[in-house]
Amino acid sequence: MEPYNNSSLCRETEADRRRNILDDSALSIGLVSAFAGGRLLTKEEVHRLDDLKKERGHDFFSDLLYSVSHQYFSAEIAEKLWDEIIQHKNQVSTLLQRDIGIVVAALDYLSNVTYRMNSPTLVCETVIEEIVGLSLRDGLTGLFNHTYFFQQIDLEVRRSLRYDTILSLLLIDIDNFKTVNDTYGHQEGDRVLAAMAKVLLVEARDSDICCRYGGEEFAVILPFTDIHATAIIAERIRTKMAVQLPDGKELTVSIGVASCGKAIRTYRDLVDKADAALYRAKKSGKNQVVLANNERKIVK
């Protein structure tokens, strides 16, 4: 068998793959194993796979291969390669008189038959998830980091536009944070950031995605939440996030709120809209929530 052309094989980072396909209908190892004949698919899984096939087109088989090998193969060869791996799986399973599973079959075929992988390593899926999770978290606050925020807001905006669902965004900035570092030092500044992040995680809902947006800025993505409900949540967060400094003074936050609407075409449109609302909150007195849609203010 002729080896595959190197030009047909390329590598993508985990961030690239999360950005492109990893959402609530992503391909888990369990689902791919079932699709490969490891067990019967449930009706829900059949529908999920059908939806993915329609959405991803020829890239669907690239996704399948990436799920089992963490290596990306172009759509031009992925379907043919997947069929060959399934055939290899069936042949080896027959010889051994047991199902070897799609992951073992794929790694064996790619490393020992086509020689497209060097020294493959089997790693438990939960371990992979933990490693990926750590790489997407901010070390100080435990919130999702800046990179993950832009991956997720892009995904959520595209989903909102595709399915005509509501989506909102909060951008939160700590008022006068520079004076904390200048007066009390960066250790106190770190304490404030960690304390506010902890409050944010408590006050946000399970469905909300809390991120550290920048140095002293946070962001919260709120799927399926309109501007009015988001305003109520934002005001509660603003009140709860205030922390006491060593001299007894209170450190507060300002929040800009935006929701997807007719003017939103990309995630950048939504971020810019929330950022403009945050700017107005800072310029008009701080410690308040400003809504981008109608520029109405909810003051302290």
Side-chain angles (χ1 to χ4, degrees):
M1 182 178 295
E2 296 183 1
Y4 289 98
N5 191 314
N6 285 334
S7 65
S8 297
L9 172 66
C10 60
R11 295 183 183 277
E12 292 188 350
T13 65
E14 183 66 25
D16 289 335
R17 300 306 293 165
R18 292 189 67 84
R19 188 181 186 88
N20 288 331
I21 66 167
L22 295 191
D23 56 17
D24 58 359
S25 58
L27 289 165
S28 67
I29 293 295
L31 182 58
V32 175
S33 297
F35 181 72
R39 61 170 172 79
L40 291 176
L41 290 162
T42 66
K43 290 183 179 180
E44 180 183 1
E45 288 172 335
V46 171
H47 291 316
R48 189 186 309 172
L49 287 167
D50 287 342
D51 289 342
L52 280 170
K53 288 177 185 178
K54 293 176 183 177
E55 180 178 342
R56 297 291 292 161
H58 293 298
D59 289 323
F60 174 72
F61 290 94
S62 297
D63 300 342
L64 288 174
L65 290 176
Y66 185 85
S67 296
V68 297
S69 70
H70 285 268
Q71 189 162 314
Y72 175 68
F73 294 87
S74 65
E76 287 74 16
I77 68 168
E79 185 171 359
K80 180 176 181 292
L81 185 55
W82 174 260
D83 289 340
E84 291 171 1
I85 290 172
I86 294 297
Q87 184 178 0
H88 180 70
K89 171 181 175 292
N90 294 337
Q91 289 172 345
V92 176
S93 295
T94 299
L95 288 172
L96 297 178
Q97 296 185 337
R98 61 179 174 84
D99 186 3
I100 64 170
I102 187 60
V103 174
V104 172
L107 296 186
D108 180 59
Y109 190 77
L110 294 172
S111 61
N112 297 321
V113 178
T114 62
Y115 305 104
R116 302 317 308 170
M117 295 183 70
N118 295 320
S119 303
T121 301
L122 287 173
V123 181
C124 177
E125 185 180 15
T126 56
V127 174
I128 294 174
E129 290 175 351
E130 289 176 3
I131 294 171
V132 172
L134 288 173
S135 71
L136 297 174
R137 294 279 181 178
D138 173 62
L140 175 63
T141 64
L143 303 176
F144 288 113
N145 60 25
H146 184 84
T147 299
Y148 183 80
F149 167 75
F150 279 105
Q151 294 168 11
Q152 200 65 24
I153 192 66
D154 183 24
L155 187 152
E156 293 293 345
V157 168
R158 286 188 289 113
R159 178 185 293 157
S160 174
L161 293 174
R162 183 184 304 127
Y163 299 110
D164 193 26
T165 58
I166 51 180
L167 171 70
S168 294
L169 173 66
L170 304 182
L171 288 185
I172 306 168
D173 185 79
I174 303 176
D175 298 325
N176 305 313
F177 183 72
K178 186 176 183 299
T179 62
V180 176
N181 286 330
D182 292 344
T183 305
Y184 307 106
H186 290 279
Q187 188 172 358
E188 176 64 15
D190 287 348
R191 183 195 71 81
V192 167
L193 286 167
M196 286 190 168
K198 185 176 181 179
V199 171
L200 185 59
L201 288 172
V202 170
E203 295 302 321
R205 305 164 304 173
D206 290 342
S207 59
D208 299 334
I209 303 166
C210 301
C211 309
R212 186 177 180 187
Y213 183 70
E216 65 267 24
E217 287 186 289
F218 305 99
V220 183
I221 304 170
L222 301 95
F224 306 105
T225 311
D226 64 23
I227 190 70
H228 303 294
T230 301
I232 295 171
I233 295 169
E235 178 61 11
R236 184 179 73 242
I237 288 173
R238 181 196 67 80
T239 302
K240 297 289 186 179
M241 282 185 74
V243 299
Q244 294 292 321
L245 296 175
D247 61 4
K249 293 181 180 178
E250 188 176 65
L251 195 65
T252 61
V253 299
S254 298
I255 304 178
V257 181
S259 292
C260 275
K262 293 182 179 179
I264 302 300
R265 290 292 177 266
T266 69
Y267 75 90
R268 176 53 65 184
D269 295 335
L270 183 61
V271 172
D272 288 347
K273 197 173 182 182
D275 192 55
L278 175 60
Y279 178 79
R280 290 196 299 273
K282 302 290 282 189
K283 293 293 288 184
S284 58
K286 303 178 182 179
N287 190 22
Q288 59 187 294
V289 174
V290 169
L291 310 186
N293 284 21
N294 52 17
E295 302 189 7
R296 178 173 58 88
K297 292 190 294 184
I298 303 175
V299 297
K300 57 184 178 179

